[in-house]
Amino acid sequence: MITLWFILVALMLVGYVVLDGFDLGAGVLHLIIARTDEERRTVLGAIGPVWDGNEVWLLAAGGTLFYAFPLLYASSFSGFYLALNMVLWLLVTRAIGIEFRAHLADPIWRDFFDGAFGLASILLIIFFGAALGNVMRGVPLGADHYFFLPLWTNFLPGPNPGILDWYTVLCAVTALVAVTMHGALYLVLKTEGALNRRARQAVRWLWPLVALTSLIALVATVAVRPQLLDNYRAGPAGWIIPVAVAVGLAGVLYFTRSGHERNAFLSSCLYIVAVLCGAAFALYPNLLPSSDNPANAINVYNAAAGSQSLAIGLIWWSIGMAIAIGYFILVYTLFKGKVRPQLGH
């Protein structure tokens, strides 16, 4: 039951990154490939029906984490207090940028909120990427399983790191280019004309960066925490995950060049899913490693709620997920196809 809940939490976080990732990536490209107000409205029209629903997965994952692994929730939300407040304000700023730009037909007003939307999207990806880097590297957990991290210390991973060091910045950069490419592929799927051509060009520029930074981040991760390879050595089946990462990246390149837009986007989804599943597989049974004392690590055994609570919660989680999945199928079905400029918001 404990392992099942670990998988469920991981899948919800993966679902969030895949779904909200493409509209975050579209936000990064909003002012880069959209040259006119009509094109910017088209970009917003491509994500408009789904972006707020996509963010629900982050809230749902947080709620599931609180229910299944309350110690991890309490420790991480306390230790990352500063970063989480920044993320909260960036989420608010991004939503305001989307919703407020159309309230006045004034170029200065629209440019301001377009800028807020784009900047918030960039910073959110950077913070989420750095957060993954912190989890992979470990944090200075005490015997009580609590910690606090400043924004940075000496910029080196070690017993007393900050939220930002060279490794977590590398993870943030990798996340930024990967999610931006994911957003570009979604815009290729949803747009036509000049905007579509610029989105394709963005994919061609970003693909080599994604491949390079992914390889560098993999080598750096093994160097910073060699223990993450233990599960791969113990379970050879786990090596299918890096193969899936490579297949996803190759699929993006091949299908983009051959003009198969949907398959290119699905290949990007495969890449993201494989990367995050690989991270979860490497971490298990740890949820949050300790950077200085492995005995203080938070794992699925010392963080999980009671077995009866987990069993009952699984029933309600299944009901909630069935409703959520049904809603998303309906929304994505209703708003499938290309977004025409006159339909932009």
Side-chain angles (χ1 to χ4, degrees), residues 8 12 21 45 66 75-76 83 86 116 127 132 156 195 254 330:
L8 294 179
M12 293 185 73
F66 172 75
S75 176
S76 58
M86 292 180 178
F127 269 89
L132 178 61
L156 295 172
L195 187 58
Y254 173 77
L330 175 64

Side-chain angles (χ1 to χ4, degrees), residues 187-202:
L187 292 179
V188 169
L189 183 64
K190 298 293 288 185
T191 62
E192 297 175 319
L195 187 58
N196 180 281
R197 290 193 294 273
R198 292 189 208 109
R200 289 177 183 273
Q201 185 66 31

Side-chain angles (χ1 to χ4, degrees), residues 75-93:
S75 176
S76 58
F77 274 63
S78 173
F80 293 123
Y81 183 80
L82 175 62
L84 286 169
N85 271 278
M86 292 180 178
V87 167
L88 176 62
W89 281 106
L90 288 171
L91 288 169
V92 171
T93 301

Side-chain angles (χ1 to χ4, degrees), residues 34-306:
R35 306 288 173 77
T36 66
D37 182 68
E38 182 181 70
E39 290 181 342
R40 292 176 186 176
R41 287 190 290 112
T42 301
V43 171
L44 293 177
I47 65 172
V50 297
W51 74 267
D52 48 354
N54 291 342
E55 289 189 350
V56 169
W57 286 92
L58 181 62
L59 300 176
T64 304
L65 191 67
F66 172 75
Y67 183 84
F69 302 107
L71 176 61
L72 175 64
Y73 180 91
S75 176
S76 58
F77 274 63
S78 173
F80 293 123
Y81 183 80
L82 175 62
L84 286 169
N85 271 278
M86 292 180 178
V87 167
L88 176 62
W89 281 106
L90 288 171
L91 288 169
V92 171
T93 301
R94 187 167 179 270
I96 289 174
I98 294 174
E99 298 294 342
F100 278 28
R101 77 174 305 274
H103 285 195
L104 289 179
D106 184 281
I108 296 176
W109 175 275
R110 289 181 172 177
D111 288 347
F112 175 81
F113 284 106
D114 283 341
F117 171 58
L119 181 61
S121 298
I122 293 170
L123 293 177
L124 275 171
I125 299 171
I126 289 173
F127 269 89
F128 287 142
L132 178 61
N134 275 266
V135 173
M136 302 303 290
R137 178 205 62 198
V139 297
L141 287 162
D144 60 355
H145 301 299
Y146 282 86
F147 70 99
F148 176 76
L149 284 179
L151 199 55
W152 65 78
T153 53
N154 58 4
F155 232 68
L156 295 172
N160 295 292
I163 293 174
L164 298 177
D165 57 37
W166 68 262
Y167 172 69
T168 58
V169 168
L170 172 61
C171 291
V173 171
T174 303
L176 180 61
V177 293
V179 172
T180 303
M181 184 182 73
H182 191 51
L185 287 163
Y186 182 75
L187 292 179
V188 169
L189 183 64
K190 298 293 288 185
T191 62
E192 297 175 319
L195 187 58
N196 180 281
R197 290 193 294 273
R198 292 189 208 109
R200 289 177 183 273
Q201 185 66 31
V203 174
R204 286 192 286 270
W205 279 98
L206 287 166
W207 190 92
L209 293 177
V210 174
L212 178 62
T213 54
S214 297
L215 180 60
I216 294 174
L218 174 62
V219 174
T221 299
V222 174
V224 168
R225 183 162 287 277
Q227 304 94 315
L228 292 172
L229 288 179
D230 290 348
N231 286 343
Y232 286 93
R233 296 190 185 100
W239 290 103
I240 195 173
I241 297 175
V243 173
V245 173
V247 169
L249 275 177
V252 169
L253 183 62
Y254 173 77
F255 290 120
T256 298
R257 287 180 173 178
S258 61
H260 293 84
E261 299 173 349
R262 185 178 300 277
N263 289 340
F265 177 71
L266 291 176
S267 295
S268 179
C269 294
L270 173 62
Y271 162 77
I272 293 173
V273 169
V275 167
L276 295 178
C277 286
F281 182 79
L283 283 169
Y284 184 83
N286 287 325
L287 296 167
L288 188 61
S290 173
S291 60
D292 54 355
N293 186 355
N296 294 336
I298 297 177
N299 56 52
V300 295
Y301 304 110
N302 60 24

